[in-house]
């Protein structure tokens, strides 16, 4: 580690590799709310965050665990769940009066077809105006989970523990997507 009178210790969140301040500054200068997409192995989170003098404020949020309230029975850490989480967050944002946002993927790698871009696609389909390039979005068959259903069909034993049959994932995805888009349920 460098020492001396001219050495400046980096900010704590930068030292912990939790925040890229150059990217954050670019997003804040846009003046638009941020669609913050974060993923873990089990869940996906989407938040619409505005910045003000008092700090960041979350306007609307959704997690993949919230999908269970609307009838989602499949696991919550996959691409179909990420899309539906973005769709739910986008619908909640529109209800709160937010119509546009910029995607904030944090320290995630911008891999085309990844879960963070699935969140973005869901928010766009909800009606949120998010600048994007269609090349980073996954194929619709992959977003629906057809690749998971095909893999589950090839296996001898069940892919997931519990009662859910993974071969029915695309149909289950379509049902929940229509339920959310029809607006028959309370967000």
């Amino acid at each position: 580690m460098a020492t001396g009178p001219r050495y400046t210790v980096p900010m704590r969140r930068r030292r912990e590799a939790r925040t890229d301040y150059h990217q954050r500054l670019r997003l804040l200068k846009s003046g638009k709310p941020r669609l913050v997409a974060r993923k873990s192995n089990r869940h996906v989170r989407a938040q619409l965050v505005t910045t003000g003098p008092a700090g960041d404020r979350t306007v609307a949020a959704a997690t993949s665990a919230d999908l269970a309230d609307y009838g989602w029975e499949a696991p919550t850490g996959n691409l179909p769940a990420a899309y539906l989480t973005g769709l739910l967050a986008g619908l909640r944002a529109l209800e709160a009066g937010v119509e546009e946002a910029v995607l904030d993927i944090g320290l995630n790698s911008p891999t085309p077809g990844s879960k963070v871009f699935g969140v973005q696609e869901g928010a766009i389909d909800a009606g949120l105006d998010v600048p994007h390039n269609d090349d980073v979005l996954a194929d619709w068959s992959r977003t629906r989970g057809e690749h998971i259903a095909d893999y589950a069909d090839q296996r001898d034993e069940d892919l997931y523990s519990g009662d859910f049959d993974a071969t029915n994932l695309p149909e289950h995805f379509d049902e929940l997507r229509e339920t959310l888009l029809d607006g028959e349920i309370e967000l």
Side-chain angles (χ1 to χ4, degrees):
M1 187 163 163
T3 59
R6 293 184 179 206
Y7 178 71
T8 305
V9 177
M11 291 190 210
R12 179 184 56 83
R13 290 185 62 87
R14 175 66 190 117
R15 287 193 316 264
E16 295 172 353
R18 294 176 66 187
T19 301
D20 180 356
Y21 284 101
H22 296 290
Q23 178 186 4
R24 178 177 165 78
L25 183 61
R26 284 185 315 154
L27 293 171
L28 295 179
K29 283 183 177 180
S30 73
K32 297 179 182 179
R34 293 177 292 136
L35 172 61
V36 179
R38 299 293 185 262
K39 64 183 179 73
S40 68
N41 289 337
R42 293 186 54 153
H43 297 288
V44 178
R45 290 175 181 79
Q47 297 176 322
L48 273 292
V49 179
T50 59
T51 303
D56 290 352
R57 187 173 68 88
T58 302
V59 178
T63 67
S64 55
D66 294 345
L67 298 175
D69 297 340
Y70 302 102
W72 184 251
E73 298 172 0
T76 55
N78 53 25
L79 184 59
Y83 172 87
L84 292 171
T85 302
L87 183 69
L88 184 58
L91 292 171
R92 288 177 177 173
L94 290 174
E95 193 175 273
V98 177
E99 297 178 356
E100 62 180 354
V102 292
L103 181 65
D104 180 357
I105 64 171
L107 297 176
N108 290 311
S109 298
T111 306
S114 67
K115 291 183 224 178
V116 291
F117 292 121
V119 169
Q120 179 186 24
E121 185 177 9
I124 291 168
D125 287 353
L128 210 59
D129 182 24
V130 182
H132 67 285
N133 184 351
D134 288 333
D135 295 339
V136 299
L137 304 179
D139 292 332
W140 185 244
S141 63
R142 195 163 174 80
T143 302
R144 287 183 68 228
E146 291 178 19
H147 64 291
I148 298 171
D150 292 342
Y151 178 70
D153 197 32
Q154 295 171 0
R155 292 175 50 104
D156 293 334
E157 66 270 357
D158 289 339
L159 182 61
Y160 299 128
S161 60
D163 296 334
F164 184 74
D165 183 16
T167 57
N168 299 329
L169 183 61
E171 293 80 18
H172 186 54
F173 171 85
D174 291 338
E175 290 171 8
L176 185 59
R177 182 175 183 268
E178 288 303 317
T179 303
L180 289 173
L181 288 175
D182 287 344
E184 298 172 359
I185 53 175
E186 197 170 310
L187 300 172

